Every structure is written in structure tokens, then in C-alpha cells.
Amino acid sequence: MLRILSGIKPSGTLHIGNYLGMIRPMVESQERGLLFCFIANLHSLTTLFDGPRMAQNTLNALIDMMALGIDPQRSVFWLQSDVPEVAELTWYLGNVTPVGLLERCHAYKDAQAKGVPANHGLFSYPVLMAADILLYQSNIVPVGRDQKQHVEVTRDIAVKFNSAYGEVFTLPEPEIAESVAVIPGVDGQKMSKSYGNTVEIFGEEKAVRKRIMSIVTDPTPVEAPKDPDKSVIYSIYKLFVDESRAQAMAERFRAGGYGYGEAKKELFEAVWGYFEPFRRRRSELADNLDYVNEVRKTGADKAREVASATLKRVREAVGVICS
Ligand code: ADP
Ligand code: TRP
């Protein structure tokens, strides 16, 4: 069965760019293979140095992903640090990873460019990510475009390992849904928590409305016809509604006499309505942390079963088992 794997860092509140670019494709992938989905808390440690906040974000991320449709009955869902095998594999992989490969990776390069002192964790971030992917012999990794490089690095590392020690690892493929590869934020740039231009998935109604109403638009007057494909409003709206509602907005844009303010109100209604069942589910889960913790534990057990089988082969291959 096809193995699909993806992880998400618990480093802040989730936004609709995360949802459309990565979470929704991942949830949908539960229909076509065995999904491995985890909260990448070890990755967040490269940039977040606040224990209590880290713990709180992690719990929130577990709840968020369950609320958004990860089904622990059908999928393997766990917290990265609950599977210590990943740290051991990171070490083995690190020894077949050329430094030059990591120097070219974007998180480290960005830190260098900004003159921010990088730590070793940030530098070796892609090796930990390779361990995440290879430990579960994943075939497909659904991610947003910004993570493609990391999946390619994973392939390079797997090829190096396999050529040194024999065919131990499956080579994964990144899978990027092109229509949602880069969701724009309220200022038109890529939506990202680092740019402060996000629309949160589980924000308060007033705040979400305010955010959507603040989408930057051009000064075209209300009466003038507008090109829907040039508008952030339409490009997000069409991803939350069915074809006929999307068409209807596109026609109103083209016809003229339709202002951006009105379009933003419609976008807010669509987004708010879309997440309504997820909000309800989220609040049920938040009131039932025993269940959340039980899911976390069962998920870790399932993940460890697969992880330890791979690690056994790796240990034999590299020769740390001598009996
Ligand atoms: P952020 O840029 O807000 O820090 P992350 O880097 O934590 O978001 O991304 C988590 C996941 O969501 C990744 O798979 C990433 O590719 C995806 N993602 C983030 N922002 C967007 C976006 N604007 N459009 C599409 N996918 C996105
Ligand atoms: N690096 C990913 C991000 O920033 C998160 C992540 C960690 C991940 N390990 C992974 C994604 C393995 C896919 C597969 O979004």
C-alpha cells in the first residue's frame, strides 16, 4: 500500500495557507494510501527556545490536526519526539550527508543571508527531516512548494546511504498540489506566519473578519470590471467554495459594479462557514484531553513498530550490531 507521509511544525497558530497547501491535501490522501502524519516538535526546537510555549503549541497542534480531519483509526498519527528511533537514524544519515548539501538548504542560507547566527540544529534540520521520511519507507510526501528542496535532499541522502550499504531505503517523491502551492496572504505575498499576513484557521470571529477585510486591493473603482484572477480575494475564495459559487464571484468581478469590500465579506462568510464543523470538533477535543492523549500514545506505538523495523535493518547495514 502507498505510504504517504507528512509532518507539521507546532511553531505557531495554523493559517489557511497551511491548510490549503498542506493539511487538506494530506487529509484527502487518507483515501488513497496509508497516511503517516506527525507533529514535528523536534524541528520546532531549532527556532523556539521556550519550553512552556513549546509544550502548549504541541498540544494545540495535536488537537488542531485531529479536528481538521486526521483520522487516527485509518492513519498513523503521532508526536515526533515520542519515537526516539528518529534521532538515532538522524545520526546514521548525517554520516552520509555532505556538508555542501546542507549549506545549500534554504533555512540555513536565509539565516546566513540575514546574518543570524545559525545553530547546528538548524543546519542539520534537513537530515532530521530525511530521517522522518526514510524511517517510514514513505513513497509520497505532500508538502507546500517551500519544502520541495528538503524532500529532494532526502532523496540524495537515501541514494548515498543505499549506495554505501545496499538498498535499505525507499526513495520518496515530493507531491505539490500546484493549484495551492503558494497561497497569498492579506498583503499579497506568500501567506506565512513570519510575514504577519495570515488568516488563522481557528481565530476568533472578529479577528478573522478583520484580517480578511484588511486584504490589500488595488484602487480600481467599484463600477469598473475587474480581473478575478488578479485578486487575492478570489484566489482564496475559489478554494473554499464549489465550482458554481466560484464562477458566480468571477462573473461579478468581470461585470463591474462589484466592490472589493463586498467580495471580502463574501470571502469571510465562506471561510468562516467552511471551518464551522472543524471548530466544533476542535472544542470537543479540547474538552477531552484524555482522548487526545490516548490517540497520541496509540499513534506512537504504531509508528514505533514501523520505525524499529527500519532501524533494525539500518543498524545491521552500518554494522553497529556485532554478535
Ligand atoms: P509558515 O510559512 O507560516 O511558517 P510553515 O513553514 O510552518 O508555515 O509551513 C507548514 C506547511 O504549510 C508546509 O508544508 C508548507 O509548505 C505549507 N505552507 C505554508 N505556507 C503556505 C502557503 N502560503 N501556501 C501553501 N502552502 C503553505
Ligand atoms: N519541515 C517541514 C515544515 O517546515 C515539517 C516537516 C518535518 C516535514 N519533517 C517532515 C514535512 C517530514 C514533511 C515530511 O513544514
Side-chain angles (χ1 to χ4, degrees):
M1 184 143 123
L2 197 66
R3 287 188 179 182
I4 304 157
L5 174 139
S6 200
I8 184 146
K9 279 187 294 181
S11 39
T13 35
L14 292 175
H15 55 75
I16 63 175
N18 299 139
Y19 181 73
L20 297 169
M22 186 259 192
I23 301 170
R24 187 162 73 180
M26 187 162 76
V27 167
E28 287 171 356
S29 75
Q30 294 178 114
E31 301 297 329
R32 63 188 166 108
L34 178 59
L35 175 68
F36 289 78
C37 167
F38 65 99
I39 305 300
N41 59 339
L42 298 176
H43 278 102
S44 290
L45 292 173
T46 59
T47 48
L48 181 60
F49 304 92
D50 178 337
R53 218 176 112 204
M54 183 73 217
Q56 189 57 51
N57 283 357
T58 302
L59 181 62
N60 281 336
L62 286 163
I63 299 173
D64 287 345
M65 296 305 284
M66 287 168 68
L68 290 170
I70 296 298
D71 176 357
Q73 303 298 323
R74 264 194 300 177
S75 305
V76 186
F77 175 60
W78 75 102
L79 177 63
Q80 189 184 26
S81 59
D82 284 342
V83 180
E85 284 80 357
V86 77
E88 185 177 337
L89 181 59
T90 300
W91 181 255
Y92 301 133
L93 298 180
N95 296 310
V96 294
T97 307
V99 166
L101 191 63
L102 300 181
E103 278 170 344
R104 288 193 291 277
C105 285
H106 60 73
Y108 175 69
K109 258 176 47 183
D110 289 354
Q112 293 289 92
K114 287 188 195 132
V116 178
N119 54 43
H120 177 261
L122 188 72
F123 184 65
S124 61
Y125 182 112
V127 187
L128 176 59
M129 183 154 160
D132 289 327
I133 297 170
L134 300 176
L135 197 50
Y136 302 96
Q137 305 285 3
S138 320
N139 307 105
I140 291 181
V141 184
V143 280
R145 192 180 284 152
D146 58 346
Q147 294 299 316
K148 184 165 179 248
Q149 182 189 42
H150 288 152
V151 184
E152 285 162 358
V153 166
T154 299
R155 286 176 65 91
D156 289 346
I157 295 176
V159 167
K160 288 237 181 263
F161 189 98
N162 286 351
S163 60
Y165 295 114
E167 294 297 308
V168 174
F169 293 122
T170 305
L171 297 191
E173 295 280 348
E175 185 177 73
I176 297 152
E178 279 307 322
S179 59
V180 290
V182 184
I183 305 298
V186 296
D187 58 357
Q189 299 186 74
K190 173 191 181 271
M191 186 177 290
S192 170
K193 57 185 169 296
S194 19
Y195 303 149
N197 62 357
T198 62
V199 176
E200 288 182 14
I201 298 175
F202 292 118
E204 294 292 328
E205 182 169 0
K206 235 172 120 180
V208 173
R209 188 193 305 271
K210 200 165 157 209
R211 252 320 154 81
I212 290 181
M213 295 312 289
S214 77
I215 291 175
V216 175
T217 50
D218 61 40
T220 317
V222 173
E223 323 73 70
K226 302 172 183 70
D227 181 352
D229 296 315
K230 290 204 175 117
S231 156
V232 169
I233 306 169
Y234 177 71
S235 66
I236 298 178
Y237 182 79
K238 69 177 181 201
L239 299 169
F240 282 109
V241 297
D242 61 25
E243 184 76 30
S244 68
R245 281 177 74 191
Q247 282 291 336
M249 182 184 273
E251 276 158 29
R252 284 198 293 278
F253 261 92
R254 289 193 196 100
Y258 180 61
Y260 288 126
E262 210 181 318
K264 288 181 196 176
K265 278 191 196 139
E266 272 183 69
L267 173 61
F268 168 75
E269 294 303 334
V271 171
W272 191 252
Y274 182 93
F275 287 112
E276 171 63 30
F278 300 118
R279 273 194 301 278
R280 244 182 290 124
R281 177 86 184 119
R282 196 189 189 289
S283 98
E284 282 163 19
L285 289 164
D287 287 341
N288 194 354
L289 293 183
D290 286 348
Y291 172 68
V292 174
N293 281 319
E294 194 185 299
V295 165
R296 171 183 161 188
K297 179 161 184 339
T298 313
D301 291 345
K302 282 203 253 176
R304 285 194 84 173
E305 219 173 280
V306 181
S308 55
T310 305
L311 197 58
K312 181 167 180 286
R313 290 176 59 197
V314 174
R315 286 179 179 151
E316 279 164 5
V318 299
V320 294
I321 292 177
C322 45
S323 52

